[in-house]
Amino acid sequence: MEDSLASVDDLRVTFRRRQEVRALAGVSLELRRGEILGLVGESGSGKTVLGLTLLGLLPARPAPRVSGAAWVCGTDMASASEAARREVRKRDLGAVFQDPMSSLNPTMRVGRQITEASGTDGSERDAAELLDRVGLGQAKDRLRSYPHEFSGGQRQRLMLAMAIARNPALVIADEPTTALDVTIQRQILDLIRELRDDVGCSFLFITHDLAVASEVADRVAVLYSGRLAELGTAEEVLSRPRHPYTLSLLKSRLSLSVDTTRPLPTIAGSVPAPGEYPPGCQFAPRCPLREDACTLAPPPLEPVTGRETASRHETACLRQDAIDQLEHLLGRDALPTWGEVATTADGFAVSVRGVSKTFTSRRRVTEPVRALHGIDLDTAPGECVALVGESGSGKSTLLRVIAGLIRPDAGTVTLGGGGDAQMIFQDAGQSLTPWLRVGELIEERLKARGADTRQARRQVLETVRLVGLPAEVVDAKPHQLSGGQAQRVAIARAVAVPPRVLLADEPTSSLDVSLAATVLNLLGRLRRELSLSMVFVTHDLAAARIVADRIVVMRQGEVVEEGTADDVIARSSHAYTRALVAAVPGRALADPGARGLTP
């Protein structure tokens, strides 16, 4: 087509490690000039590999087996020489990755990095204009700063400035907003749309979150286990999905309007493990609509039947006519209601009084940072309180003070009934001792409480079952676990000896939507079964509303608003809280007529 900018044709990429890892299995896809194409799917679906192939940056060792084509501006990035691929990257491509610090040189001032990215002897004025274009104020002063002097959202703006420095035709943005605060995420999404309109470049926007894709994408391609499941305009795919996987992702997402009296719908099972690919539809083992024909051969991507659309809406499903039936099966009404939470107004689980904390540099290089200022907070027995706010608001510092990991400068923290607190960290994989097996990690807590070896082993298996993991996981080491499994193991370790208070620090911020829903359901069930009190830290008000009875909004080390979860969200009184509510993505999914509106 005349407006085609990039395309992949029957692209297949296979890595050979201990066994064959099939990253892409015959993907054909077109990206048009001036459009933002959202590439959506769970971890392991092949999204990043597709982006790296278009960039010509697949690893050289071990070299993957690649067939098919990946055209960018007339050059096949799958088969061209390294010199030819480098020329396309210089002339036509830009890239923004999830972790900007992995792409920014920490020893070089950002002004020099931007001029190098432009490939010319550009002046400081040119670099400053780029910073202005991506919304970084005081641009001239910022040119002499180093990357560590910028916040996470500012670093992503730096990466966008470098990506558009040569006016590329296409920018590959791989999870550029994952784990960012919702307000910063909103700013980055708005900026990407503005750059597309002002600069004229196209974007391949990779994300695991359909709600985020709905805010920015013109078209959406849903990828599952290396194959396209569905493709069409954002409105068609997200409001009228015709593949069970797309619908399941939509049902699993967090929103401000979801029914909190029932568990969240989740997708059973997981993406096929390396070397364990089913012969037919890759989603069939997880699909409630599967029939024998689904297991015989992979279904082709074909136009949706029985619907006339101005654009092409395609799905790779033999049961597309039964999607309405699946809509009912995945509805919240099909799930049981939660049991009552045993809370009491007598006493407290956690009492925080007048807690303040200021961090200072030992070398006095930077100004002191006031993280907490006179915080008062009570958590009742059995209650879940969510601490919500942007990065730097002090919520994680307060959680660590409650856990005893940080000593406050002033104030007291008291746990009711002489109980203890256990912490679940955001990066579960980093919090698990890498050389210990899962069973040994959990046994440590049990033996510390006096359990003998036989008792500990029996309790380990019971705890693993409690968090929904198979018994064989006790013999695995952390590096052998998926992200969702690692988070469940971290929870199992924390509740093996039920604590008085469970402290959860952003436990779902980097997880796929279905895994996030699974973890939130697990925390809700454990809270009821074990009568736990909980303090839950998050930047996501949708997650806070689902898991918490009460929300405490923090800003710059102080509490600015608190109340019941529904009151804080629906009737917030503070402008900062209202800004957080407005920034939650996915409004278009609840109200198709609202798509594209800025809060």
Side-chain angles (χ1 to χ4, degrees):
M1 296 179 63
E2 291 183 1
D3 63 347
S4 177
L5 173 67
S7 65
V8 294
D9 183 17
D10 195 27
L11 184 63
R12 300 171 186 269
V13 179
T14 301
F15 296 91
R16 180 67 182 176
R17 296 191 175 101
R18 294 181 180 178
Q19 55 187 332
E20 284 198 347
V21 179
R22 189 193 64 193
L24 297 173
V27 174
S28 296
L29 183 66
E30 175 190 73
L31 202 151
R32 301 164 185 165
R33 294 184 184 277
E35 83 165 339
I36 300 175
L37 176 64
L39 187 62
V40 180
E42 294 171 283
S43 297
S45 62
K47 308 184 301 295
T48 295
V49 172
L50 179 55
L52 291 176
T53 305
L54 287 170
L55 286 167
L57 291 176
L58 287 173
R61 296 181 182 178
R65 187 169 67 248
V66 180
S67 65
W71 296 96
V72 176
C73 297
T75 299
D76 182 5
M77 301 296 280
S79 62
S81 66
E82 174 54 31
R85 294 199 301 268
R86 188 182 302 115
E87 184 61 29
V88 174
R89 285 196 295 269
K90 289 168 57 178
R91 183 186 67 238
D92 299 312
L93 284 170
V96 182
F97 298 105
Q98 179 176 345
D99 181 7
M101 282 302 284
S102 65
S103 304
L104 293 168
N105 187 332
T107 67
M108 187 184 297
R109 299 182 193 274
V110 299
R112 183 180 170 192
Q113 294 191 57
I114 292 172
T115 54
E116 282 194 358
S118 68
T120 66
D121 297 327
S123 64
E124 284 197 354
R125 188 176 71 176
D126 295 332
E129 287 178 355
L130 279 169
L131 291 187
D132 281 332
R133 182 179 286 181
V134 298
L136 277 173
Q138 299 177 323
K140 289 184 178 180
D141 296 332
R142 295 296 186 96
L143 292 177
R144 298 191 60 76
S145 300
Y146 291 94
H148 73 271
E149 298 178 272
F150 293 81
S151 68
Q154 289 172 332
R155 290 175 196 147
Q156 283 296 28
R157 290 175 183 266
L158 284 174
M159 286 301 303
L160 282 165
M162 294 167 65
I164 65 170
R166 302 193 192 197
N167 294 317
L170 171 63
V171 175
I172 311 291
D174 190 359
E175 299 276 11
T177 63
T178 298
L180 290 180
D181 299 330
V182 288
T183 51
I184 304 301
Q185 175 178 263
R186 166 68 60 186
Q187 294 169 14
I188 297 299
L189 295 178
D190 289 343
L191 176 59
I192 286 174
R193 285 198 301 267
E194 291 169 8
L195 290 175
R196 186 272 305 273
D197 295 340
D198 296 343
V199 181
C201 58
S202 301
F203 279 85
L204 177 65
F205 186 91
I206 297 172
T207 179
H208 64 257
D209 192 341
L210 280 169
V212 171
S214 73
E215 298 288 337
V216 72
D218 301 305
R219 287 192 304 146
V220 169
V222 182
L223 199 62
Y224 182 79
S225 189
R227 289 194 170 103
L228 280 178
E230 190 161 0
L231 175 65
T233 66
E235 182 177 359
E236 290 168 340
V237 172
L238 301 180
S239 64
R240 294 179 294 276
R242 291 291 96 183
H243 195 284
Y245 179 56
T246 310
L247 180 60
S248 298
L249 287 176
L250 285 166
K251 291 293 185 181
S252 299
R253 71 183 181 87
L254 311 183
S255 76
L256 294 177
S257 59
V258 72
D259 178 9
T260 58
T261 65
R262 303 174 188 269
L264 291 162
T266 59
I267 308 176
S270 58
V271 176
E276 300 178 4
Y277 309 110
C281 173
Q282 301 299 286
F283 189 64
R286 307 173 72 183
C287 181
L289 297 180
R290 66 181 177 274
E291 57 186 15
D292 290 344
C294 300
T295 64
L296 300 179
L301 193 69
E302 295 180 330
V304 169
T305 58
R307 183 183 301 154
E308 293 184 4
T309 59
S311 59
R312 193 174 179 86
H313 185 186
E314 300 172 290
T315 183
C317 181
L318 302 178
R319 303 295 315 278
Q320 58 172 291
D321 293 336
I323 295 297
D324 292 338
Q325 176 186 343
L326 182 61
E327 175 91 26
H328 173 72
L329 291 174
L330 296 178
R332 300 300 298 278
D333 293 342
L335 297 168
T337 57
W338 284 117
E340 290 296 323
V341 179
T343 60
T344 175
D346 298 330
F348 58 86
V350 180
S351 180
V352 176
R353 286 289 174 270
V355 166
S356 297
K357 180 64 181 178
T358 298
F359 293 99
T360 57
S361 170
R362 291 182 179 180
R363 298 182 180 180
R364 305 289 180 182
V365 175
T366 59
E367 292 295 321
V369 177
R370 189 185 71 172
L372 300 172
H373 181 64
I375 299 293
D376 293 329
L377 175 69
D378 285 336
T379 303
E383 183 184 28
C384 178
V385 174
L387 305 179
V388 176
E390 296 174 292
S391 296
S393 62
K395 56 189 188 298
S396 291
T397 299
L398 178 57
L399 200 71
R400 283 163 170 75
V401 168
I402 296 173
L405 300 177
I406 294 176
R407 179 175 296 180
D409 299 329
T412 61
V413 174
T414 308
L415 299 181
D420 66 335
Q422 283 295 314
M423 187 96 164
I424 303 168
F425 295 93
Q426 178 175 353
D427 190 339
Q430 292 296 318
S431 71
L432 302 176
T433 307
W435 56 84
L436 293 181
R437 299 186 186 277
V438 168
E440 295 170 327
L441 288 166
I442 300 173
E443 276 185 16
E444 282 186 327
R445 285 216 65 218
L446 296 167
K447 289 183 176 180
R449 293 301 183 93
D452 60 34
T453 300
R454 181 176 297 179
Q455 290 174 327
R457 288 178 179 172
R458 183 172 62 249
Q459 186 63 37
V460 164
L461 292 175
E462 291 177 1
T463 305
V464 165
R465 177 192 55 78
L466 183 66
V467 299
L469 289 172
E472 53 266 25
V473 82
V474 299
D475 295 320
K477 291 187 176 180
H479 73 273
Q480 297 173 301
L481 304 173
S482 68
Q485 288 175 327
Q487 197 61 274
R488 291 194 198 196
V489 168
I491 294 171
R493 183 177 60 178
V495 303
V497 178
R500 176 78 170 178
V501 182
L502 189 63
L503 308 174
D505 190 5
E506 299 273 14
T508 62
S509 65
S510 297
L511 297 180
D512 297 332
V513 287
S514 182
L515 285 178
T518 298
V519 169
L520 292 176
N521 285 345
L522 174 59
L523 291 174
R525 179 168 59 81
L526 291 177
R527 180 186 163 205
R528 289 162 173 81
E529 292 182 7
L530 303 178
S531 299
L532 297 174
S533 301
M534 191 184 308
V535 182
F536 183 90
V537 163
T538 181
H539 63 257
D540 186 348
L541 276 169
R545 178 179 174 272
I546 288 165
V547 77
D549 304 301
R550 189 157 51 97
I551 291 176
V552 174
V553 182
M554 296 185 65
R555 182 171 186 257
Q556 296 179 351
E558 297 180 345
V559 174
V560 298
E561 187 165 0
E562 65 178 298
T564 66
D566 284 335
D567 279 347
V568 167
I569 290 170
R571 292 171 286 278
S572 48
S573 59
H574 198 282
Y576 178 68
T577 308
R578 291 195 293 270
L580 292 177
V581 173
V584 174
R587 300 179 315 284
L589 301 184
D591 177 10
R595 187 172 188 271
L597 297 180
T598 302

